[in-house]
Amino acid sequence: MIYVVEVPEHAAPRAWFAYDAADFARKVAAGDPLEPWEIHDQLTARRLLEDLGHAEVDALARERYPAICALGDSHGWDIALYRADHLLGAGVLSAEPVSETAAHEAALAARGGFTCIYHGDRDAIGAFEGADPRIAGQAHWHARRALYEQLVALEVLADDN
């Protein structure tokens, strides 16, 4: 289980969960203005050209898509390129690996305020109990309460009220 506490700048904190990394990716993408492939994608220069209808790197492809051809010439046509607009900038492709988790965390961070992500029941319970200074103390009571309510709803904690 992955637990998320979002504390927007001008709204009440909210907590939500995802069953696994794939569910996390779907839920982040559902609340983001970008397309899922803009949040995180891995592709090759060759695949980009193929998606545009060019099976070969020929003169016509080089004329119409010089930037893609430059990527292929520079990095190799079958080398993985990564897109993560919230991390790299809109439309930027990089040969340096970008993890899907880092890209989705950046998408959450782009919403403003701050976000806390907990991987597993133990981490989430610890955060609720004060182990995470980002939501510890009286000033962050509402964020801890949102996490508590999520943990109770999933029957990770018992409701003692």
Side-chain angles (χ1 to χ4, degrees):
M1 220 41 112
I2 300 168
Y3 299 90
V4 178
V5 177
E6 290 185 85
V7 184
E9 293 174 6
H10 303 291
R14 72 181 194 102
W16 52 276
F17 76 97
Y19 291 107
D20 54 27
D23 189 34
F24 179 68
R26 279 190 300 277
K27 288 178 177 178
V28 169
D32 199 279
L34 299 180
E35 294 294 328
W37 51 269
E38 293 172 308
I39 296 171
H40 183 265
D41 200 9
Q42 180 180 336
L43 59 153
T44 66
R46 185 178 313 282
R47 191 176 113 208
L48 277 171
L49 277 182
E50 288 170 355
D51 289 349
L52 293 167
H54 290 273
E56 297 179 28
V57 183
D58 56 13
L60 183 59
R62 289 186 179 282
E63 178 186 328
R64 288 188 178 169
Y65 306 104
I68 295 172
C69 291
L71 281 171
D73 292 340
S74 174
H75 298 291
W77 288 95
D78 298 308
I79 298 298
L81 300 172
Y82 298 85
R83 180 173 179 167
D85 286 13
H86 290 295
L87 284 174
L88 303 174
V92 174
L93 295 173
S94 172
E96 291 297 317
V98 174
S99 77
E100 189 171 1
T101 300
H104 287 101
E105 288 178 4
L108 288 175
R111 295 178 185 179
F114 69 92
T115 304
C116 304
I117 301 169
Y118 307 104
H119 297 274
D121 296 351
R122 183 177 175 172
D123 289 346
I125 292 168
F128 166 69
E129 292 176 341
D132 184 348
R134 296 174 296 173
I135 63 169
Q138 186 62 29
H140 301 291
W141 179 87
H142 292 324
R144 275 194 325 284
R145 181 67 186 186
L147 178 58
Y148 170 78
E149 289 172 357
Q150 183 66 76
L151 292 168
V152 168
L154 293 170
E155 299 180 352
V156 175
L157 289 177
D159 187 4
D160 293 335
N161 292 333

